Amino acid sequence: MNVDNLIRDNIKKMKPYSSARDEFKKRTSDFIFLDANENPNESGVNRYPDPQQFELKALLAKQNDVAIDSILLGNGSDEILDLILRVFCKPGFDEIISLPPTYGMYNVLANTNDISVREIPLLPNFQPDVATIIKASNANTKILFLCSPNNPTGNCFDVQLIEELLNTFRGVIVIDEAYIDFAIDKSWLKRLREFPNLIITQTLSKAYGLAGIRLGIAYASKEIIAILNKIKPPYNINQLTQLKAIEQLAEIERFTKQLKLLLNEKTIMIAELGQIDFIEKIYPSDANFLLVKVDDAPKRYSQLLDNGIVVRNRTNQILCENCLRISIGTSNENRILIKTLKTLS
Ligand SMILES: *Cc1c(COP(=O)(O)O)cnc(C)c1O
């Protein structure tokens, strides 16, 4: 399949903004930089950051065994999702497919860009309805968003189903892997080269514990990355974020240890929540949260809130009637949650 045909004409034709740092990349102290209207007084951040985030991408490339030009970084994955929509979808004309119940940003970003959304609910087992997706798509259906592990259901989509979609869907497929580090299933990154229409998004906001720095990552063919790069804001990843990400990505041991602790806490939580009589079901989870079905979600939600505990009420989402989504906290936080749940009547 030829992804080039899916790109909007105006994006293909446009000339990108060329920043001072793009035009003159080399930054040694031998030079006097009078090209970017910066304040010359050293503050640690008085210069514009590297617009291509070379050092950070090089580290990600090495850790994940991908080429640097297969990586795009965003101010959170939300910025990346927005860039993807704007590259492929013509406002008022093209459409995307999302599979509710899922991450709300796909629809919000599509709505913002005047791109219509075809919603094809997951099957009751929370897996994609492949036949209906394929039947529903046409030449204007440019993007299919697959969130795996899915938020809020917590499960990974079956490998065979995703594979079938990758082989038959005629647009771009975005696999949102925000929670992949918590899953047993492997990232699709290893198979990126097999599928020219695949974009994988990941984030440092969840397992890496860096939600505050806003760093999202897209992996795709170098053709797709180049076109996304063309329209991204020039300095979209600030200097502090680049430095913090480089520092934290190097701390693999800390990451592994925290991940293990969180997964262990999840196991404990599943056992403990199973003892609460108004919890009717705990769905299997490949993420750092649990979707639980209770007797009366709005009631339990506000009871928890009265006790100073905030969870997410997902009862209004399709297939999630009376469901709460509970993030795995520290062991102390989790213990307080369980203790509180036991006092509720
Ligand atoms: C949390 C989350 C993200 C993260 O978005 P960032 O902008 O990178 O913080 C992306 N996708 C899903 C499904 C999420 O739940």
Side-chain angles (χ1 to χ4, degrees):
M1 83 172 285
N2 191 352
V3 173
D4 202 52
N5 296 335
L6 298 170
I7 300 166
R8 281 165 68 193
D9 276 336
N10 63 312
I11 303 282
K12 261 193 255 190
K13 285 183 197 141
M14 71 176 253
K15 201 167 165 282
Y17 175 73
S18 180
S19 71
R21 280 298 91 82
D22 280 321
E23 286 176 15
F24 195 87
K25 295 193 181 78
K26 218 167 135 205
R27 311 198 61 208
T28 69
S29 45
D30 306 343
F31 289 97
I32 296 172
F33 287 99
L34 304 177
D35 60 344
N37 303 341
E38 297 151 333
N39 182 327
N41 298 295
E42 189 57 53
S43 71
V45 285
N46 58 309
R47 299 294 177 181
Y48 278 105
D50 174 4
Q52 290 305 321
Q53 309 99 23
F54 180 81
E55 198 182 343
L56 176 50
K57 281 187 198 163
L59 181 56
L60 285 166
K62 190 166 150 239
Q63 289 189 345
N64 295 288
D65 191 25
V66 294
I68 288 187
D69 55 9
S70 278
I71 304 174
L72 177 100
L73 302 180
N75 185 10
S77 9
D78 290 344
E79 184 186 44
I80 291 173
L81 298 171
D82 187 51
L83 292 173
I84 296 170
L85 278 161
R86 287 189 285 144
V87 157
F88 295 104
C89 298
K90 186 168 158 187
F93 191 74
D94 288 329
E95 60 173 38
I96 64 152
I97 292 180
S98 75
L99 313 180
T102 193
Y103 190 45
M105 282 305 285
Y106 313 135
N107 286 17
V108 170
L109 293 169
N111 292 339
T112 308
N113 287 298
D114 192 19
I115 293 156
S116 50
V117 180
R118 204 177 279 258
E119 290 194 299
I120 300 174
L122 295 175
L123 296 168
N125 64 357
F126 296 152
Q127 293 294 329
D129 182 350
V130 174
T132 306
I133 293 168
I134 297 303
K135 218 183 303 158
S137 39
N138 57 52
N140 297 333
T141 318
K142 293 295 179 67
I143 306 171
L144 167 62
F145 287 99
L146 301 178
C147 186
S148 182
N150 187 40
N151 175 6
T153 61
N155 62 301
C156 283
F157 295 157
D158 289 348
V159 174
Q160 297 89 320
L161 297 178
I162 294 184
E163 200 165 32
E164 202 179 328
L165 287 166
L166 283 165
N167 287 322
T168 45
F169 183 70
R170 307 312 299 160
V172 165
I173 295 188
V174 177
I175 304 184
D176 182 341
E177 293 189 334
Y179 299 97
I180 194 65
D181 299 297
F182 300 105
I184 293 163
D185 283 21
K186 294 265 175 297
S187 166
W188 280 83
L189 204 46
K190 297 273 165 288
R191 302 188 59 187
L192 187 61
R193 277 188 211 96
E194 286 176 52
F195 306 105
N197 59 336
L198 171 60
I199 303 176
I200 297 163
T201 62
Q202 295 182 357
T203 177
L204 299 197
S205 297
K206 307 287 154 67
Y208 280 90
L210 296 169
I213 72 170
R214 312 301 301 124
L215 190 81
I217 309 162
Y219 298 100
S221 71
K222 64 176 194 290
E223 290 77 17
I224 291 179
I225 294 300
I227 197 84
L228 291 170
N229 228 340
K230 191 171 167 183
I231 69 158
K232 83 169 181 63
Y235 302 113
N236 64 328
I237 310 297
N238 73 68
Q239 183 78 35
L240 300 174
T241 293
Q242 293 189 41
L243 290 172
K244 187 74 181 174
I246 289 165
E247 172 198 308
Q248 293 293 303
L249 281 168
E251 302 221 8
I252 297 165
E253 244 168 76
R254 195 190 68 107
F255 169 79
T256 317
K257 202 170 129 195
Q258 279 191 7
L259 189 63
K260 230 184 197 164
L261 277 172
L262 283 169
L263 290 175
N264 187 47
E265 277 300 318
K266 183 167 79 173
T267 309
I268 296 170
M269 283 275 275
I270 291 167
E272 295 278 356
L273 290 169
Q275 307 290 310
I276 310 291
D277 55 14
F278 59 80
I279 292 184
E280 294 168 7
K281 182 162 185 165
I282 305 163
Y283 290 91
S285 168
D286 280 305
N288 65 334
F289 58 82
L290 293 168
L291 187 73
V292 301
K293 194 180 187 78
V294 297
D295 55 347
D296 181 344
K299 174 181 160 187
R300 301 306 176 186
Y301 173 82
S302 57
Q303 283 178 325
L304 284 172
L305 207 52
D306 291 342
N307 283 279
I309 299 172
V310 192
V311 299
R312 204 87 201 264
N313 182 1
R314 299 282 79 182
T315 193
N316 291 327
Q317 294 218 354
I318 189 168
L319 300 175
C320 294
E321 199 189 342
N322 281 321
C323 285
L324 301 176
R325 193 194 71 195
I326 306 174
S327 306
I328 306 299
T330 63
S331 69
N332 190 42
E333 290 170 335
N334 299 337
R335 217 169 316 127
I336 295 169
L337 170 74
I338 298 296
K339 216 172 97 186
T340 306
L341 287 171
K342 282 180 177 163
T343 66
L344 302 183
S345 52

